[in-house]
Amino acid sequence: MSVEEMYETMQSKLGDVVPDVELHIKAELAYQINQLKKEKNAVILGHNYMEPALYHSIPDHVGDSLGLSRIAAQAEQDIIVFCGVRFMAETAKILNPEKTVLLPAEEAGCSLAASITAEDVRKLREQFPGVPVVTYVNTYADVKAECDICCTSSNAAAVVESLGAETVIFLPDEYLARNVAQETGKHIIFPALTGLEADTEIEAQLIGWNGRCEVHEQFTTQDIADIRAQFSDVIILAHPECSPQVVAASDFAGSTSAMIRHVEETDAPRYLLLTECAMGDNIAVANPHKEMLRLCRVRCPHMNEITLKDTLASLQKEQYSIDVPEETRVRAARAVERMIAIG
Ligand code: 13P
Ligand code: SF4
């Protein structure tokens, strides 16, 4: 595809959401990235939160954390460029260690991944001996290495139930844990918040941590009430990293890909997405006859670090290469592969 053809393709999809002058610049960058991608035998994975011009031009695969982990595990190209955040690129490296895995922006982190350390998990294990540990994939490799099994937002309840254990440690997202507790009918406690002693008899069946997604914690039931007051026919979709009150007041909760599917498979005139704002643009482009309402004050600063310009530099300079110490990787891989095996 020439630069002109790239511009035409992007213009036909994104003409309503991206200014024309920006489209010309981005089409040129996308063209160069796609050329280099072929030359270097690379594959580009794009999370659903990528900005619309990137999302609709360079990824070979788009999806949620679980879907992209599966694809990363089977990628045959020499280089995997992960347009997402660090924990996602790390998961790709954990599952496919022979490949070079590149993250285009070194500083693309995540407030959930930053909320817990491997030492925190070891202390919880000492406090609750014999209790299995589930960690959300939004954690770093050394934390994954300390756990029994990982989960994502699309399989969290299934993973907890697969353990068949009465008590489970579920880390680090407080709200996802509360939502899973509701879904699985388990009680929940937060020892880090309440200072539960090691010898306290465990009354609860899910033991949580106080991590939060800095994006999803901002949505409130007032936001929902305001939108419903204006649009009585709106369908409201929330990510399970939102509070249980917000999830309960919504019509649907699911992973980023599950939300996309729900919009595609239902037939309402308008939807409100309680998640990263760029995803609303991406769904709007794919569903031009449905109106996507968005609360665009809420952006993920980490996902927004990933730009077309940085992705081009990433491929040119082969930066920023993800490394995970082998001993950590092997232990983390066990937890991620156990999750993938559940399906
Ligand atoms: P998904 O697993 O639903 O793609 O979500 C990842 C994420 O970071 C949500 O904030
Ligand atoms: Fe992390 Fe929240 Fe950003 Fe997702 S949206 S990457 S959970 S900070």
Side-chain angles (χ1 to χ4, degrees):
M1 197 186 279
S2 66
V3 187
E4 291 71 31
E5 285 164 339
M6 176 60 79
Y7 166 76
E8 293 298 333
T9 309
M10 288 170 75
Q11 210 282 334
S12 67
K13 286 187 188 164
L14 304 165
D16 291 339
V17 287
V18 184
D20 199 53
V21 63
E22 205 179 305
L23 269 183
H24 277 286
I25 297 167
K26 290 187 168 174
E28 171 70 41
L29 288 168
Y31 170 79
Q32 289 184 46
I33 291 167
N34 286 340
Q35 291 292 109
L36 209 48
K37 182 169 75 175
K38 269 189 240 143
E39 276 169 36
K40 295 207 164 188
N41 190 27
V43 63
I44 299 184
L45 308 184
H47 187 262
N48 291 325
Y49 287 165
M50 290 297 101
E51 61 99 357
L54 187 156
Y55 182 88
H56 288 280
S57 61
I58 57 165
D60 300 286
H61 305 276
V62 291
D64 62 7
S65 306
L66 182 61
L68 293 179
S69 298
R70 288 202 172 109
I71 291 164
Q74 284 163 11
E76 285 175 356
Q77 291 82 350
D78 298 323
I79 298 176
I80 300 171
V81 181
F82 212 119
C83 292
V85 290
R86 178 170 291 274
F87 75 81
M88 296 179 176
E90 260 192 14
T91 306
K93 185 71 182 179
I94 288 167
L95 292 170
N96 207 339
E98 303 304 318
K99 308 296 176 189
T100 298
V101 178
L102 303 176
L103 178 67
E106 207 174 15
E107 57 284 15
C110 169
S111 66
L112 279 172
S115 74
I116 193 159
T117 65
E119 182 58 19
D120 293 328
V121 186
R122 286 193 287 270
K123 282 191 183 146
L124 277 168
R125 278 206 189 270
E126 276 171 29
Q127 204 175 351
F128 301 100
V131 176
V133 179
V134 176
T135 61
Y136 194 26
V137 284
N138 295 37
T139 46
Y140 293 121
D142 56 344
V143 168
K144 289 186 173 83
E146 297 295 333
C147 82
D148 295 289
I149 183 166
C150 287
C151 74
T152 72
S153 58
S154 59
N155 61 16
V159 165
V160 167
E161 279 169 344
S162 78
L163 296 170
E166 205 167 273
T167 305
V168 172
I169 298 173
F170 187 98
L171 310 169
D173 185 350
E174 176 190 335
Y175 285 161
L176 182 63
R178 287 189 189 279
N179 287 318
V180 169
Q182 277 193 356
E183 214 177 321
T184 57
K186 289 186 184 289
H187 299 287
I188 187 160
I189 57 165
F190 291 90
L193 296 177
T194 56
L196 198 74
E197 293 301 323
D199 60 353
T200 304
E201 200 177 311
I202 304 166
E203 288 168 6
Q205 293 173 302
L206 213 58
I207 297 165
W209 188 252
N210 54 329
R212 298 257 186 100
C213 164
E214 67 191 274
V215 175
H216 294 94
E217 72 170 344
Q218 292 183 51
F219 296 114
T220 64
T221 49
Q222 189 59 51
D223 292 329
I224 296 180
D226 291 345
I227 295 286
R228 289 211 197 273
Q230 286 179 69
F231 306 99
S232 59
D233 54 1
V234 67
I235 300 270
I236 299 185
L237 300 93
H239 194 276
E241 291 167 9
C242 293
S243 75
Q245 293 80 4
V246 164
V247 168
S250 302
D251 300 299
F252 177 86
S255 75
T256 53
S257 288
M259 284 192 266
I260 294 173
R261 273 197 304 277
H262 192 76
V263 173
E264 282 167 359
E265 289 166 6
T266 53
D267 200 16
R270 54 181 65 84
Y271 299 81
L272 171 69
L273 294 162
L274 297 178
T275 194
E276 215 291 327
C277 191
M279 200 174 94
D281 290 331
N282 294 333
I283 304 185
V285 168
N287 297 271
H289 305 300
K290 297 177 180 177
E291 189 183 357
M292 294 300 140
L293 306 172
R294 277 150 270 168
L295 297 176
C296 276
R297 65 175 195 274
V298 187
R299 308 299 308 255
C300 174
H302 312 289
M303 290 284 181
N304 276 283
E305 290 287 346
I306 309 295
T307 61
L308 283 165
K309 195 163 164 248
D310 286 344
T311 307
L312 179 59
S314 174
L315 267 170
Q316 284 167 333
K317 300 179 192 166
E318 299 199 9
Q319 65 186 20
Y320 296 92
S321 183
I322 300 291
D323 272 317
V324 179
E326 185 59 10
E327 191 261 343
T328 306
R329 189 199 69 75
V330 169
R331 291 165 62 218
R334 215 174 294 142
V336 181
E337 279 160 2
R338 212 175 148 194
M339 166 190 81
I340 289 179
I342 284 178

